[in-house]
């Protein structure tokens, strides 16, 4: 959910593997639950705290990953900008257009998410 609206996200093979790997460690419905209870997912602040603890204070935030993805996906010129915005659950700026364009760009988003995960794997393999 984002802004109290349902938002579906296609998962790459790598994301599904992580979910499956985490399954034995779960104590509730969430892959990454809060520390004290499995009834809520971790928050953006949990991710920000982890980033601070590993030395990224002032360099990266949880929301920064969304900004980075938007920038890199747009700069790749591989994807329809509307599909990128839909993947990030952003509304298109023009309210008339947003009212009439209800496309989800699902098939392109599936391909985009797999491309993104593969790209991250390539970076890791290069030691970037």
């Amino acid at each position: 959910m984002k802004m109290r609206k349902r938002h579906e996200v296609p998962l790459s093979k790598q994301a599904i593997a992580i979910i499956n790997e985490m399954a034995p460690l779960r104590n509730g419905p969430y892959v990454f639950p809060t520390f004290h209870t499995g009834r809520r997912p971790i928050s953006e602040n949990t991710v920000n705290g982890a980033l601070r603890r590993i030395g990224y204070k002032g360099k990266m935030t949880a929301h920064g990953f969304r900004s980075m993805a938007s920038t890199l996906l747009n700069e790749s010129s591989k994807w329809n900008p509307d599909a990128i915005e839909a993947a990030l659950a952003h509304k298109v700026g023009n309210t008339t257009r947003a009212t009439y364009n209800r496309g989800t760009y699902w098939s392109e988003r599936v391909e985009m998410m797999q491309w993104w995960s593969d790209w991250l794997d390539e970076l890791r393999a290069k030691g970037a």
Side-chain angles (χ1 to χ4, degrees):
M1 302 274 270
K2 183 169 186 227
M3 305 292 286
R4 300 203 184 274
K5 286 190 159 199
R6 185 179 176 102
H7 177 64
E8 295 179 342
V9 178
L11 299 177
S12 66
K13 293 180 284 186
Q14 294 90 327
I16 292 169
I18 290 169
I19 290 169
N20 289 336
E21 186 177 324
M22 296 294 294
L25 305 174
R26 289 173 44 188
N27 64 348
Y30 298 102
V31 177
F32 301 105
T34 57
F35 181 72
H36 297 291
T37 177
R39 287 179 257 179
R40 291 191 329 252
I42 60 171
S43 70
E44 182 176 338
N45 288 329
T46 302
V47 176
N48 287 335
L51 288 168
R52 280 192 304 275
R53 285 189 295 280
I54 63 172
Y56 285 92
K57 183 178 181 179
K59 297 176 186 173
M60 188 54 143
T61 64
H63 198 266
F65 288 109
R66 292 172 54 84
S67 177
M68 177 181 64
S70 176
T71 301
L72 294 169
L73 290 167
N74 278 291
E75 284 186 346
S76 78
S77 299
K78 294 179 180 296
W79 315 106
N80 176 342
D82 288 340
I84 296 168
E85 294 306 304
L88 295 168
H90 290 164
K91 286 191 175 188
V92 179
N94 180 322
T95 56
T96 302
R97 185 164 189 270
T99 299
Y100 291 100
N101 181 7
R102 298 183 183 159
T104 63
Y105 307 94
W106 185 257
S107 60
E108 186 170 6
R109 289 171 52 204
V110 168
E111 189 179 341
M112 184 190 321
M113 291 301 177
Q114 188 58 57
W115 178 86
W116 180 257
S117 288
D118 293 343
W119 181 73
L120 292 175
D121 282 348
E122 286 176 32
L123 288 178
R124 183 175 45 202
K126 292 177 185 173

